[in-house]
Structures are given as C-alpha cells and as structure tokens.
Amino acid sequence: MTDTPRSQAAAEIELERLPEKPASRSREILSALLANKLAVAGLVVLAAVLLVGVFYPMIVTPAETNQVDVASRFLPPSLDHPFGTDELGRDIVERVLVASRVSLQVGFVAVGIAVVFGVPIGLIAGYYRGAIDSVLMRLMDILFSFPAILLAIAIVATLGPSITNAMIAIGVVYTPIFARITRGSVLVVSEEVYVRAARSLGSGDGRILFRHVLPNVLPPVIVQTSLSLAFAILAEAALSFLGLGVAPPDPAWGRMLFDGRNFFGQAWWMGFFPGLAILITVMAFNFVGDGLRDALDPKQKSVIESRGQST
Amino acid sequence: MIAFIVRRTLQMLLALFGVSIVVFALIQMVDGDPIRIALGTRFDPELYQRLLERSGLDRPLLEQYFTWLGSAVTGDLGVSFRTGQPVTEMVLERLPATIQLALVALLIALIVAIPAGIISAVRSGRPVDYGVTALSQVGVSMPDFWAGVMYILVFSLTLSWLPSAGYVGLFDDPVAWVKHILLPALTVGLISGSIITRFVRSSVVEAANQDYVRTAKAKGLGEWGIIRDHVLPNAWISIVTVVGLQLGFLLGGVVVVETVFAWPGLGRLALTAVESRDFTVLQGAVLYIAAMFLVVNLVVDIVYARLDPRVRIG
C-alpha cells in the first residue's frame, strides 16, 4: 500500500472526531439539566449571586459599606435596612451583597487550584499506571487522610492567615478528590477502542491524553467542580469565621459572622443574614452539581460527596 | 479475611507514615523561627535555648524528622512552646471530650437519618419524600458554625433552655453533661444526619429495585415485611460504610463547632494552638485527629469486608 501515510492521517482525523461529543449529546445533557427543577433553581440563584458579586461592588464600593454611622447602630431589619445594621451602624444587606464577590472569588480560585493540580495528576497516574501511578496516588491518599477542614486550618495556620493562603489551603485539600476522580475515569477511557486505535496509529502520549482521553474524563470532573465549589465556600466561611481567612474591614460572609459573634444576643440579624447567604449559595451549587451528575450519567444515584469531607 | 486485614493494616500504617511527614512539614513551613514566634513578648534566652534543644529544631532536617518520629511512636510529641507542658498529655486530656461529642452527634444523626431515609425511599416521589429531601439539602448545605450560632440564639439566649457553652464531665453530673452536649451534638449531628439520610434513601431505593424484591412482592408479602426482610438487610452494608466514614469525619470535623460552644476537645486545642502560634501542640492535635481518622476508616473497611465478601477478594 503506497498511500499508507495518507490513510493513516485520514484515520487520525476520523479518530479525532469520535471522542468529541456530537452536538446532540450536549443538547441532550442541557435539556436533561433544564428538566431538573432544582438544578434550574440552582442555576438561577447562582446567576444572581454571580451578577451581584461582579457588579454590586462597582455600584457600592466595599469602602462605602465600611462607613461607620454610630447613630444607626444595631437597627433591626426595616424597610430602610432590610437586614438591619451592625455594631458600627453599617447596613448589613449592602455588606452581604458586596461580600458575595470575595466568597465566590475564594471558591473559584481554590477549586481552580484543585483542578489544575488534581486533573493532570489523575491523567498521568491513570494513563501510565505502574510505579508513577502508585507514587502519585499514595501521595494523594496522604492528603486524603486528613479531615479536610482540619488540614485547611493547619495549612493556613502555618502559612499565616490571609485570603490567599486560605485559597491555597482549600485548593490543596481538594486536589486529591480531582486526582482520584480523573484517574478512575482515565482507567476506563484508556481501554476504549479509539484510544487503543490512536496508540496503534502512533499518536504520541501527549496527543492521546489531551485529544482523546481528557475530553472523555471531563464530565465527572465538571460535576465534582460544582460540588467542590459548594465545599470551598463553606470552608472559606469556616476559616474566616475562625479569623483565618479574609482580613477586616472588607466584608466576607464568614468574616461578618466572626466580627459579629459577640453581638448575636442583642442583634440576631447580624448573625442570621450572612449565614443565610452562605446556605443559599452552597445549596445552589449542590443542586447544580447533582443535576449535572444526573444529566451526564442518569444511571448514577445522587449521593452527595461534596459535604462528606467538610463536616 | 486475615490476609485482607493484614494488607489493609499495612496500608494504614503507610498512610500514617505519610501523615507524619505532612505533620512534621507543617512546622518547617512556618515563616520564621517557630519558637521565637510562639514565645513572642515573653522571650527569654534561657527558655529559648531549652525549647530549642528539646525540639531539636536546630538539627539537620532528616535527623530532626527521625528523632521526632522516634519520640512520636513512643508517645512523646515534645512540649508546648507556650506552657512547657508535654503535648501528649494536653492531647489526651482533650481526647475524651471530642470522642463523646462525635459519638453523641453520630447517635443523633442515626436516630434522624435511618427512619427518614427509609420513609423517603419507600414513599419515593410523594410529599414526604420531597419534604425529607428538601430538609436534607438544607442540612448538607448549612455552615456548621452558623447552625451552632443559631441554636444558641434560639435555645440559650431566647428560650434559656440549654447552656450556650462549656463542658461538664459525664460522671461528675450526667444531667448537666446532657444539657451541655446537646446543642453542639445537634449542630454536627443534624448535618451529618442529612448526609446519611441521602445515603440511606439511595441504598434502600437501589435494594428495592432488585429481582428478589419483585419476587417477594409477587409472592404477596406485605410492603413493610419486604422492606424488613429483603430490602434492609441488603441496604445495610453500604449504610454501615457511610456511617463509619461519618464517624471519622465527625472526629476531625468538629473543630469549628467545638470553638463555637467552647467545647474543650481536640479541635479547640488545635485552634487555640493556632491562635497562640504554639506549633508543637498544633502538630500533636492534627496528628492524633488524622490517626483516629485512619483507624476508624480501617475498622470500617474491615467491617465492610466482613459484611460483603466481594470486597476482600478484590
């Protein structure tokens, strides 16, 4: 056969098309997701929180929400101040809205760190197997041997309390989950015909990993991302509540609870509303994560994993 | 079975070795001289020298690690930079409070989760199922410390039914013990219960879809009889696993809640150590919590293998 190189190239092109999800598959997933009322509710809430987080601090700057107004201290919720005011007379609804930016930012950056480290570790471990797999996964197991929040606290305590270190700590804590999930899927995907075919056609490892394996292990990673965002927001709130996260005076939900904890007895609204904001946002991420999982893999049962580690 | 236990125990010891490296690394990552930081304004050259010699922080890294590990294995975790008290002693003083809290919380979780999960599964798609699912979603998404603060607001400050903080020994005054442990245990127990509820529900739904259940139905057995004799025994295995894992998480995860309720457990010890930058105490508390977590997981795996023979062959 004289035209082997050409037919090989043609086969390569064919192969590259295969693992890509056809448009109908994405539409299928989307319509399954949209049919799930809880997931839609979650998406709506998240869109609202995102919009507020991005744009509200442009309208009302964090500095403005820090304006002290002693005359209006500890005002209970009213039309003027729907969530009441705090011990310095600051409007709580404004601070809760402005704080959404920090909480989301910490969540996204922390989970981003976990994905950026965890997914490649899982890809390499699952693809090459053998010694490198054992070494990488044993390392991940070690991180997994700590209760998540405790490890995050220990890391922040050592690096010093700051918002950056909180993001690093939460990211490190969640790296093993992404490594495990990715590795598990890679083990399955590597045995698929198209991967074996690509290998026998002489595609390099890097090409196989990124063109053929990665796209097919993304669904579980996406689901885990949504559930991990829920955890990351809870973890950030816990760290800030312990005084190990966001520094005053800028508002973050956990920080507001930390600052107000001596006043909850006389002004319940100081403790109630920031916590409610956390609860609603976390619930929205959980709904979307569960909905995505059901949409991507209808066989799987919704058993929550995001929270397992954090309690 | 013996081979399985031996293999899993060796794996656990390996993990524990890894944990010890991370815990050891913690103190190395501190920016600056940990003893100087811990002593702060109370700096005294003589005390400093004594602590330095005792902790061996001036020796080469590997030597430091193996000396530390050697002592740790024999139960010596060094002394607190703050008080000079042996760390192991401090940790063991706090351990009972954490174990009590975790066990009572788990009890509450089970009392809530098992009936709720079963009813939710049996009445799948009915209003009671939606109710249980909605409540468990709230529980899963709730910040534990916030729940604790809210309980304090309602039950301590407003209704004055229960104390908002503190600890009384079980054998000193059982009634006061119950009063003090109730709120912190409810705080973590209900959250943990929400996770277990979801798990019980899906395990029961899965077991109820098996062929033998259909056969039992065809034989004309009553609904609750089928659930008792055919569904639950099979759903049980995975429920035991998740309950065991939850106990592990509870032992380590009550850190924040212990702080809210001033509960004198390991978590609070770790946090006070963080605040006072007493790194050896932090190391000790983290090491103990992680070790308990690993041991609980080992026991869960062995129980799981005992219940389900397929696991130990794999």
Side-chain angles (χ1 to χ4, degrees), chain B residues 199-221:
Chain B
F199 207 89
V200 171
R201 181 184 181 279
S202 65
S203 306
V204 171
V205 166
E206 199 182 311
N209 284 331
Q210 302 293 325
D211 287 338
Y212 50 78
V213 173
R214 215 166 303 142
T215 311
K217 258 184 215 153
K219 285 197 304 192
L221 289 180

Side-chain angles (χ1 to χ4, degrees), chain A residues 38 138 141-151 153-155 157-161 234 237-239 241-242 244 254 257 261 264-269 271-276 278-280 282-284 286-287 290 293 301-304 306-311, chain B residues 14-15 18-19 22-23 25-31 133-134 137-146 149-150 153 157 188 191-192 195 198-199 202 205-206 209 246 248-250 252-256 259-260 270-271 274-275 277 279 282 285-286 289-290 293-294:
Chain A
L38 287 179
R138 287 301 84 74
D141 285 351
I142 291 169
L143 288 183
F144 224 66
S145 311
F146 292 91
I149 193 71
L150 182 73
L151 185 57
I153 289 172
I155 294 174
T158 333
L159 297 178
L234 281 174
L239 288 176
F241 177 72
L242 297 171
L244 295 172
L257 289 168
R261 60 181 172 176
F264 292 159
Q266 57 190 112
W268 58 267
W269 52 90
F272 181 73
F273 291 107
L276 192 66
I278 301 171
L279 171 63
I280 290 172
V282 170
M283 222 155 114
N286 276 331
F287 283 165
D290 286 349
R293 172 168 30 211
K301 296 268 164 359
S302 323
V303 175
I304 198 123
S306 75
R307 191 53 194 267
Q309 277 271 306
S310 72
T311 38
Chain B
L14 195 67
V19 163
V22 174
V23 170
L26 279 177
I27 205 163
Q28 306 294 333
M29 286 179 349
V30 174
D31 190 18
T133 307
Q137 275 291 0
V138 172
V140 165
S141 308
M142 187 140 61
D144 47 7
F145 57 90
W146 182 66
V149 168
M150 290 299 117
L153 269 179
L157 300 179
V188 269
I191 289 174
S192 184
I195 299 167
R198 296 176 59 128
F199 207 89
S202 65
V205 166
E206 199 182 311
N209 284 331
Q246 279 300 314
F249 293 133
L250 284 175
V254 292
V255 182
V256 190
T259 309
V260 173
L271 275 169
V274 168
E275 277 159 22
R277 319 216 45 142
F279 296 104
L282 177 65
V286 172
I289 295 175
F293 187 64
L294 285 173

Side-chain angles (χ1 to χ4, degrees), chain B residues 103-113 181-182 184-187 189-190 193:
Chain B
L103 287 178
V104 175
L106 187 67
L107 185 70
I108 292 175
L110 292 179
I111 290 173
V112 174
I181 206 170
L182 206 53
L186 268 177
T187 305
L190 290 181

Side-chain angles (χ1 to χ4, degrees), chain B:
Chain B
M1 191 67 198
I2 302 283
F4 174 82
I5 294 176
V6 170
R7 198 172 70 226
R8 268 302 279 115
T9 309
L10 288 177
Q11 275 174 9
M12 200 267 311
L13 290 174
L14 195 67
L16 197 56
F17 179 65
V19 163
S20 77
I21 294 177
V22 174
V23 170
F24 173 76
L26 279 177
I27 205 163
Q28 306 294 333
M29 286 179 349
V30 174
D31 190 18
D33 180 343
I35 304 179
R36 219 171 263 273
I37 294 173
L39 289 179
T41 51
R42 300 173 306 126
F43 187 81
D44 159 17
E46 206 178 304
L47 178 66
Y48 177 84
Q49 205 51 41
R50 246 197 354 256
L51 286 172
L52 189 65
E53 272 163 34
R54 180 81 167 78
S55 63
L57 278 170
D58 53 344
R59 276 175 267 166
L61 207 57
L62 266 183
E63 190 193 327
Q64 256 189 62
Y65 172 68
F66 283 106
T67 320
W68 177 78
L69 185 67
S71 328
V73 169
T74 58
D76 175 11
L77 291 167
V79 293
S80 158
F81 289 159
R82 285 269 162 170
T83 60
Q85 205 188 346
V87 172
T88 310
E89 202 179 289
M90 295 171 78
V91 167
L92 291 180
E93 265 170 27
R94 303 297 194 96
L95 196 57
T98 293
I99 292 179
Q100 288 167 21
L101 180 54
L103 287 178
V104 175
L106 187 67
L107 185 70
I108 292 175
L110 292 179
I111 290 173
V112 174
I114 289 185
I118 293 175
I119 290 170
S120 180
V122 173
R123 297 275 175 264
S124 172
R126 309 258 188 87
V128 60
D129 180 28
Y130 290 128
V132 168
T133 307
L135 281 178
S136 68
Q137 275 291 0
V138 172
V140 165
S141 308
M142 187 140 61
D144 47 7
F145 57 90
W146 182 66
V149 168
M150 290 299 117
Y151 294 150
I152 292 178
L153 269 179
V154 176
F155 296 108
S156 304
L157 300 179
T158 311
L159 299 171
S160 306
W161 287 353
L162 294 165
S164 65
Y167 171 83
V168 175
L170 170 58
F171 301 107
D172 300 336
D173 183 351
V175 177
W177 177 79
V178 170
K179 281 187 176 165
H180 280 87
I181 206 170
L182 206 53
L183 284 186
L186 268 177
T187 305
V188 269
L190 290 181
I191 289 174
S192 184
S194 304
I195 299 167
I196 301 178
T197 302
R198 296 176 59 128
F199 207 89
V200 171
R201 181 184 181 279
S202 65
S203 306
V204 171
V205 166
E206 199 182 311
N209 284 331
Q210 302 293 325
D211 287 338
Y212 50 78
V213 173
R214 215 166 303 142
T215 311
K217 258 184 215 153
K219 285 197 304 192
L221 289 180
E223 187 185 36
W224 288 105
I226 295 176
I227 288 164
R228 195 189 57 228
D229 298 337
H230 297 280
V231 175
L232 287 185
N234 290 290
W236 214 230
I237 297 172
S238 45
I239 295 173
V240 166
T241 314
V242 80
V243 167
L245 292 178
Q246 279 300 314
L247 179 62
F249 293 133
L250 284 175
L251 283 169
V254 292
V255 182
V256 190
V257 172
E258 283 184 358
T259 309
V260 173
F261 290 95
W263 188 259
L266 271 187
R268 186 138 174 272
L269 180 70
L271 275 169
T272 14
V274 168
E275 277 159 22
S276 58
R277 319 216 45 142
D278 197 348
F279 296 104
T280 40
V281 176
L282 177 65
Q283 270 185 324
V286 172
L287 187 66
Y288 261 80
I289 295 175
M292 283 196 304
F293 187 64
L294 285 173
V295 171
V296 169
N297 285 357
L298 171 70
V299 173
V300 171
D301 272 5
I302 292 172
V303 171
Y304 188 38
R306 183 90 192 77
L307 293 173
D308 188 346
R310 282 171 301 183
V311 177
R312 51 177 187 260
I313 296 161

Side-chain angles (χ1 to χ4, degrees), chain A residues 31-43:
Chain A
S31 64
L33 187 66
L34 293 181
N36 183 332
K37 283 177 201 146
L38 287 179
V40 173
L43 281 173

